[in-house]
Amino acid sequence: MEQQHPTGTAYRVLFFNTLAFTVCFAGWVLNGVLVTFLMDNGIVDWTLVQAGWLLGIPVLTGSVMRLPLGLLTDKIGGRWVFGGLMLFCAIPLFLLSTTTSYSLFLILSFLFGLLGASFAVGVGFTSVWFPQQWQGRALGIFGVGNIGSAITTMVAPSLLIRLTGNGTEPDGWKMLPLIYAGALVVMAILFMVFTSNKKPEGAGKTLKAALQPLKSLRVWRFGLYYFLVFGCFVTFSQWLVSYFLNVYNTGLVMAGMLASCFSLPAGLFRAVGGWLSDKFGARKVMYGVLSASLVISFLLLIPRMEIFSPGAGIMAAQAGTVSAVSADMITVDNKQYPLQARAAHPEDSSRRQLIFPTKESWQEAAVQPGEQVTKKQILATGVTRIYFQANIWVFVGLIVLMGMAWGIGTAAVFKHIPEYFPKEVGIVGGMVGMIGGLGGFVGPILFGYLLQLTGLWTSSWLFICLLSALCLVWMHAVITRMMKKGAPHLADKFEIPHQ
């Protein structure tokens, strides 16, 4: 008979899985802070292109290695894989403190990027300890480890300032990778001591048999969902810092804090997503998540802008000679034409925080005193100015909601996997996680090209809007086809017929 309630050992494994994943995720995104610090303080002389590769390489490694490490977890159990992964990655992080050579920094970044693959290990190791009806909650709680990225974003900059004596001891930065390496070693020891190993049923399968589920289109569809809710989460966790700097002219520390308003809820609400998926079903949750992503990204894609357009002008009622022109009046012979002057203090003053677009209209004289005019000739042109501030606090509120939605969505995607692939959670979870992780590598590059092509920072949200629509349409099409197959007599009905 299938176990209905998790054991005490299962809860203990879940706790240490989540804690280990948090430490690994914090280390995975270390370069986002460390490389920026080294360049800003003149410690290294790297180009922006080189910096981009240093940010992307760990994400790439952690993504592509999720599949083989997920397979290995199914084979030998997560205790050995997770513990060994943390011990191994502590070595390149330790060596990172000994060099400022770009080539060596790149190689070491490639190696400690394996920390990103800890997700596939943790998913496989968590799922084997919990019954099916608990999978959503368990995997959702495990996924809270995503907050490791927010921890690094918030804590590492202040830690670097303290370690370098506010710039007086620049070599103090070397302590930061040592701290992260030490944290990994301590976590690996605790993990090995307090967890028990367990492998899923069918762990003795051949490699060919283990890879068989990857032929299913469903795996790739789940991967696309995860590309959106996780890959784009990783991308925006880094992209939003530059977004705030360029669009809202904030300082670097403020940009980091505001960006964490997005990444922190995404991690915390993963547990909520697991609970919701268990209670209401992953399908309903995904409908809500994809719909929310579509609506929020549509609101965010409207750029900060200022538009000037022709407005209502003034035409001469009869022919005559312009006798006087002032800021608020044009006189033709004895007839006066009032002008609408531009306000001295427009409503959209930069000192005010505006939520909605504002409109300002005025008229400018198009004739000079002494000029002969004909009937219906334009005496003054109208000008309308529409200004949209893209209020920073509204923007922050929307990205908080997006982070919450995506956090819930990451749990909902992985709730599906044990239901459809109960004996291949590691390999399928690794594949889905790899596709999602690749989104974190491809995203910044794609967003950079979109920015270059359009000149609009909001072009990134246009991509999210289109991707959300694609995922929603594809999912709905699959569900509709499945419902028609299961209940063909209802295929052309708006509602269930009366019995």
Side-chain angles (χ1 to χ4, degrees), residues 35-50:
V35 171
T36 302
F37 178 84
L38 294 176
M39 293 179 64
D40 287 350
N41 289 271
I43 298 173
V44 296
D45 185 24
W46 297 332
T47 66
L48 290 176
V49 173
Q50 289 176 316

PDB file of all heavy atoms in Angstrom, residues 35-50:
ATOM      1  N   VAL A  35      32.340  40.211 -10.012  1.00  0.00           N
ATOM      2  CA  VAL A  35      32.933  40.763 -11.234  1.00  0.00           C
ATOM      3  C   VAL A  35      32.653  42.262 -11.340  1.00  0.00           C
ATOM      4  O   VAL A  35      33.534  43.051 -11.707  1.00  0.00           O
ATOM      5  CB  VAL A  35      32.388  40.016 -12.479  1.00  0.00           C
ATOM      6  CG1 VAL A  35      32.818  40.708 -13.761  1.00  0.00           C
ATOM      7  CG2 VAL A  35      32.871  38.569 -12.475  1.00  0.00           C
ATOM      8  N   THR A  36      31.432  42.661 -11.018  1.00  0.00           N
ATOM      9  CA  THR A  36      31.089  44.091 -11.044  1.00  0.00           C
ATOM     10  C   THR A  36      31.973  44.879 -10.081  1.00  0.00           C
ATOM     11  O   THR A  36      32.468  45.959 -10.416  1.00  0.00           O
ATOM     12  CB  THR A  36      29.607  44.294 -10.667  1.00  0.00           C
ATOM     13  OG1 THR A  36      28.792  43.551 -11.572  1.00  0.00           O
ATOM     14  CG2 THR A  36      29.222  45.762 -10.733  1.00  0.00           C
ATOM     15  N   PHE A  37      32.190  44.347  -8.891  1.00  0.00           N
ATOM     16  CA  PHE A  37      33.031  45.025  -7.901  1.00  0.00           C
ATOM     17  C   PHE A  37      34.472  45.155  -8.391  1.00  0.00           C
ATOM     18  O   PHE A  37      35.088  46.220  -8.271  1.00  0.00           O
ATOM     19  CB  PHE A  37      32.998  44.255  -6.576  1.00  0.00           C
ATOM     20  CG  PHE A  37      33.874  44.839  -5.506  1.00  0.00           C
ATOM     21  CD1 PHE A  37      33.418  45.873  -4.704  1.00  0.00           C
ATOM     22  CD2 PHE A  37      35.166  44.364  -5.298  1.00  0.00           C
ATOM     23  CE1 PHE A  37      34.221  46.425  -3.720  1.00  0.00           C
ATOM     24  CE2 PHE A  37      35.980  44.902  -4.326  1.00  0.00           C
ATOM     25  CZ  PHE A  37      35.507  45.935  -3.527  1.00  0.00           C
ATOM     26  N   LEU A  38      35.026  44.072  -8.921  1.00  0.00           N
ATOM     27  CA  LEU A  38      36.417  44.094  -9.386  1.00  0.00           C
ATOM     28  C   LEU A  38      36.623  45.113 -10.504  1.00  0.00           C
ATOM     29  O   LEU A  38      37.640  45.814 -10.546  1.00  0.00           O
ATOM     30  CB  LEU A  38      36.821  42.700  -9.862  1.00  0.00           C
ATOM     31  CG  LEU A  38      36.894  41.603  -8.788  1.00  0.00           C
ATOM     32  CD1 LEU A  38      37.210  40.250  -9.420  1.00  0.00           C
ATOM     33  CD2 LEU A  38      37.940  41.952  -7.739  1.00  0.00           C
ATOM     34  N   MET A  39      35.660  45.217 -11.406  1.00  0.00           N
ATOM     35  CA  MET A  39      35.776  46.160 -12.519  1.00  0.00           C
ATOM     36  C   MET A  39      35.558  47.599 -12.063  1.00  0.00           C
ATOM     37  O   MET A  39      36.309  48.503 -12.455  1.00  0.00           O
ATOM     38  CB  MET A  39      34.781  45.788 -13.620  1.00  0.00           C
ATOM     39  CG  MET A  39      35.078  44.472 -14.300  1.00  0.00           C
ATOM     40  SD  MET A  39      33.873  44.033 -15.571  1.00  0.00           S
ATOM     41  CE  MET A  39      34.124  45.348 -16.766  1.00  0.00           C
ATOM     42  N   ASP A  40      34.566  47.830 -11.227  1.00  0.00           N
ATOM     43  CA  ASP A  40      34.265  49.190 -10.770  1.00  0.00           C
ATOM     44  C   ASP A  40      35.386  49.784  -9.941  1.00  0.00           C
ATOM     45  O   ASP A  40      35.573  51.011  -9.909  1.00  0.00           O
ATOM     46  CB  ASP A  40      32.964  49.205  -9.958  1.00  0.00           C
ATOM     47  CG  ASP A  40      31.733  49.039 -10.827  1.00  0.00           C
ATOM     48  OD1 ASP A  40      31.879  49.097 -12.064  1.00  0.00           O
ATOM     49  OD2 ASP A  40      30.631  48.835 -10.275  1.00  0.00           O
ATOM     50  N   ASN A  41      36.140  48.926  -9.260  1.00  0.00           N
ATOM     51  CA  ASN A  41      37.216  49.416  -8.392  1.00  0.00           C
ATOM     52  C   ASN A  41      38.594  49.348  -9.056  1.00  0.00           C
ATOM     53  O   ASN A  41      39.611  49.558  -8.391  1.00  0.00           O
ATOM     54  CB  ASN A  41      37.229  48.636  -7.078  1.00  0.00           C
ATOM     55  CG  ASN A  41      36.055  48.985  -6.192  1.00  0.00           C
ATOM     56  OD1 ASN A  41      36.134  49.926  -5.385  1.00  0.00           O
ATOM     57  ND2 ASN A  41      34.949  48.267  -6.330  1.00  0.00           N
ATOM     58  N   GLY A  42      38.613  49.057 -10.367  1.00  0.00           N
ATOM     59  CA  GLY A  42      39.870  49.062 -11.107  1.00  0.00           C
ATOM     60  C   GLY A  42      40.822  47.956 -10.727  1.00  0.00           C
ATOM     61  O   GLY A  42      42.019  48.028 -11.044  1.00  0.00           O
ATOM     62  N   ILE A  43      40.344  46.926 -10.051  1.00  0.00           N
ATOM     63  CA  ILE A  43      41.216  45.815  -9.667  1.00  0.00           C
ATOM     64  C   ILE A  43      41.563  44.965 -10.885  1.00  0.00           C
ATOM     65  O   ILE A  43      42.645  44.376 -10.969  1.00  0.00           O
ATOM     66  CB  ILE A  43      40.533  44.971  -8.570  1.00  0.00           C
ATOM     67  CG1 ILE A  43      40.303  45.839  -7.324  1.00  0.00           C
ATOM     68  CG2 ILE A  43      41.361  43.745  -8.217  1.00  0.00           C
ATOM     69  CD1 ILE A  43      39.485  45.163  -6.239  1.00  0.00           C
ATOM     70  N   VAL A  44      40.644  44.890 -11.831  1.00  0.00           N
ATOM     71  CA  VAL A  44      40.893  44.183 -13.099  1.00  0.00           C
ATOM     72  C   VAL A  44      40.539  45.116 -14.248  1.00  0.00           C
ATOM     73  O   VAL A  44      39.802  46.090 -14.086  1.00  0.00           O
ATOM     74  CB  VAL A  44      40.045  42.895 -13.194  1.00  0.00           C
ATOM     75  CG1 VAL A  44      40.445  41.899 -12.130  1.00  0.00           C
ATOM     76  CG2 VAL A  44      38.559  43.216 -13.090  1.00  0.00           C
ATOM     77  N   ASP A  45      41.097  44.823 -15.398  1.00  0.00           N
ATOM     78  CA  ASP A  45      40.847  45.639 -16.586  1.00  0.00           C
ATOM     79  C   ASP A  45      40.173  44.774 -17.644  1.00  0.00           C
ATOM     80  O   ASP A  45      40.768  44.438 -18.670  1.00  0.00           O
ATOM     81  CB  ASP A  45      42.161  46.231 -17.108  1.00  0.00           C
ATOM     82  CG  ASP A  45      41.935  47.191 -18.278  1.00  0.00           C
ATOM     83  OD1 ASP A  45      40.810  47.732 -18.372  1.00  0.00           O
ATOM     84  OD2 ASP A  45      42.866  47.388 -19.086  1.00  0.00           O
ATOM     85  N   TRP A  46      38.920  44.399 -17.378  1.00  0.00           N
ATOM     86  CA  TRP A  46      38.167  43.554 -18.295  1.00  0.00           C
ATOM     87  C   TRP A  46      37.151  44.388 -19.050  1.00  0.00           C
ATOM     88  O   TRP A  46      36.627  45.382 -18.544  1.00  0.00           O
ATOM     89  CB  TRP A  46      37.444  42.439 -17.532  1.00  0.00           C
ATOM     90  CG  TRP A  46      38.365  41.490 -16.832  1.00  0.00           C
ATOM     91  CD1 TRP A  46      39.640  41.178 -17.190  1.00  0.00           C
ATOM     92  CD2 TRP A  46      38.073  40.724 -15.655  1.00  0.00           C
ATOM     93  NE1 TRP A  46      40.169  40.267 -16.314  1.00  0.00           N
ATOM     94  CE2 TRP A  46      39.233  39.962 -15.358  1.00  0.00           C
ATOM     95  CE3 TRP A  46      36.971  40.598 -14.827  1.00  0.00           C
ATOM     96  CZ2 TRP A  46      39.306  39.103 -14.263  1.00  0.00           C
ATOM     97  CZ3 TRP A  46      37.024  39.735 -13.737  1.00  0.00           C
ATOM     98  CH2 TRP A  46      38.181  38.990 -13.464  1.00  0.00           C
ATOM     99  N   THR A  47      36.853  43.975 -20.273  1.00  0.00           N
ATOM    100  CA  THR A  47      35.847  44.673 -21.066  1.00  0.00           C
ATOM    101  C   THR A  47      34.451  44.205 -20.655  1.00  0.00           C
ATOM    102  O   THR A  47      34.289  43.206 -19.945  1.00  0.00           O
ATOM    103  CB  THR A  47      36.040  44.394 -22.565  1.00  0.00           C
ATOM    104  OG1 THR A  47      35.778  42.998 -22.826  1.00  0.00           O
ATOM    105  CG2 THR A  47      37.467  44.725 -23.002  1.00  0.00           C
ATOM    106  N   LEU A  48      33.434  44.926 -21.132  1.00  0.00           N
ATOM    107  CA  LEU A  48      32.056  44.548 -20.825  1.00  0.00           C
ATOM    108  C   LEU A  48      31.711  43.190 -21.438  1.00  0.00           C
ATOM    109  O   LEU A  48      30.944  42.423 -20.867  1.00  0.00           O
ATOM    110  CB  LEU A  48      31.091  45.626 -21.333  1.00  0.00           C
ATOM    111  CG  LEU A  48      31.124  46.958 -20.564  1.00  0.00           C
ATOM    112  CD1 LEU A  48      30.207  47.971 -21.233  1.00  0.00           C
ATOM    113  CD2 LEU A  48      30.709  46.746 -19.112  1.00  0.00           C
ATOM    114  N   VAL A  49      32.287  42.908 -22.616  1.00  0.00           N
ATOM    115  CA  VAL A  49      32.049  41.614 -23.255  1.00  0.00           C
ATOM    116  C   VAL A  49      32.633  40.487 -22.399  1.00  0.00           C
ATOM    117  O   VAL A  49      31.994  39.448 -22.175  1.00  0.00           O
ATOM    118  CB  VAL A  49      32.649  41.586 -24.667  1.00  0.00           C
ATOM    119  CG1 VAL A  49      32.556  40.190 -25.266  1.00  0.00           C
ATOM    120  CG2 VAL A  49      31.946  42.597 -25.564  1.00  0.00           C
ATOM    121  N   GLN A  50      33.850  40.711 -21.909  1.00  0.00           N
ATOM    122  CA  GLN A  50      34.465  39.702 -21.035  1.00  0.00           C
ATOM    123  C   GLN A  50      33.653  39.510 -19.762  1.00  0.00           C
ATOM    124  O   GLN A  50      33.461  38.383 -19.294  1.00  0.00           O
ATOM    125  CB  GLN A  50      35.895  40.128 -20.694  1.00  0.00           C
ATOM    126  CG  GLN A  50      36.869  40.029 -21.850  1.00  0.00           C
ATOM    127  CD  GLN A  50      38.250  40.558 -21.497  1.00  0.00           C
ATOM    128  OE1 GLN A  50      38.387  41.605 -20.873  1.00  0.00           O
ATOM    129  NE2 GLN A  50      39.284  39.827 -21.882  1.00  0.00           N
TER     130      GLN A  50
END
